[in-house]
Each structure stands twice: as structure tokens, then as C-alpha cells.
Amino acid sequence: MSKKKKQKYDGVVYSTDENFTYSAFDSLVEPDTLPIEKQRLRIVYEKKGRNGKPVTLIKGFVGKKDDKENLAKIIKQNCGVGGGVKDDEILIQGNSVDKVKNVLQSLGYKTS
């Protein structure tokens, strides 16, 4: 059985408007990456909802997915841990709040 992804139409089932056009790709446009000085990142330690496994989350990055993945790669290399990008957040395995904060501040990001 093949698993095909269904397109989401944001609740549009049927329209009687003759001029109606649904553009599924309007919501998929990525915002341009803000300069480092204008980024305000929040660093959060969390265990809830992750089977008790500790995770350091970095929230608030505004930009393209590639730039977010590159930042995650730099953080993972400097902290010596695993992680990734999921749901517009950068996940770093373990309780690495202090290390992540130091790395981000050395890169020029404002953190809280």
C-alpha cells in the first residue's frame, strides 16, 4: 500500500464562485532570513512530551530552512551533540542551554 501525501486545502471543500482559484503554494513561501543582529532567539530546556528525554530548543529564528539547518549544524558541531530542525525549531539533544547560548552569542545572535 503506497503512502501518498494528501494536499491540504485549509478547509476549502467546494466553491460556487466561478473566479475562485486556490493557490496551495501561497502559504509555503519562506521568509527571507533576517540579519544576525535582528534575530532574537529563545533557548528553552524541555523534557515534557519527549518520553522524558531532555532537549534544548531554539525558537524564534526567522529565515529560510537552509539557513536554519546550517545554524543547527554549527551548534551541534560546537556542542558535540545531535539534533535537528523540526516544526520551525532547532532541537539540540540533552541539556546544553549554556553551551548553546555561548555559541549563539559568539556568532552575534541575541539570546534570552
Side-chain angles (χ1 to χ4, degrees):
M1 191 181 270
S2 67
K3 294 183 179 181
K4 294 182 181 179
K5 287 189 175 183
K6 295 181 181 179
Q7 290 183 345
K8 294 184 180 179
Y9 292 108
D10 296 330
V12 177
V13 177
Y14 180 78
S15 176
T16 57
D17 185 9
E18 295 174 1
N19 298 322
F20 178 78
T21 57
Y22 181 78
S23 179
F25 298 107
D26 287 346
S27 62
L28 299 177
V29 176
E30 290 182 319
D32 290 333
T33 303
L34 288 177
I36 291 175
E37 305 82 38
K38 294 186 179 182
Q39 296 275 359
R40 293 210 175 258
L41 304 178
R42 291 184 305 139
I43 303 168
V44 180
Y45 173 72
E46 189 175 279
K47 280 170 65 170
K48 188 176 181 182
R50 303 185 188 280
N51 289 334
K53 295 181 181 177
V55 174
T56 303
L57 296 173
I58 302 164
K59 299 179 180 184
F61 185 86
V62 178
K64 299 197 179 287
K65 186 175 181 180
D66 292 339
D67 295 333
K68 194 178 302 183
E69 289 175 353
N70 288 338
L71 179 60
K73 182 178 178 181
I74 292 169
I75 294 169
K76 291 188 299 183
Q77 288 174 345
N78 286 322
C79 293
V81 295
V85 176
K86 184 177 180 183
D87 298 332
D88 295 332
E89 298 174 336
I90 299 174
L91 291 102
I92 304 298
Q93 294 176 350
N95 186 2
S96 305
V97 175
D98 294 331
K99 290 180 184 178
V100 169
K101 189 172 186 176
N102 290 336
V103 170
L104 289 173
Q105 287 177 348
S106 69
L107 293 172
Y109 289 96
K110 295 178 183 174
T111 61
S112 60

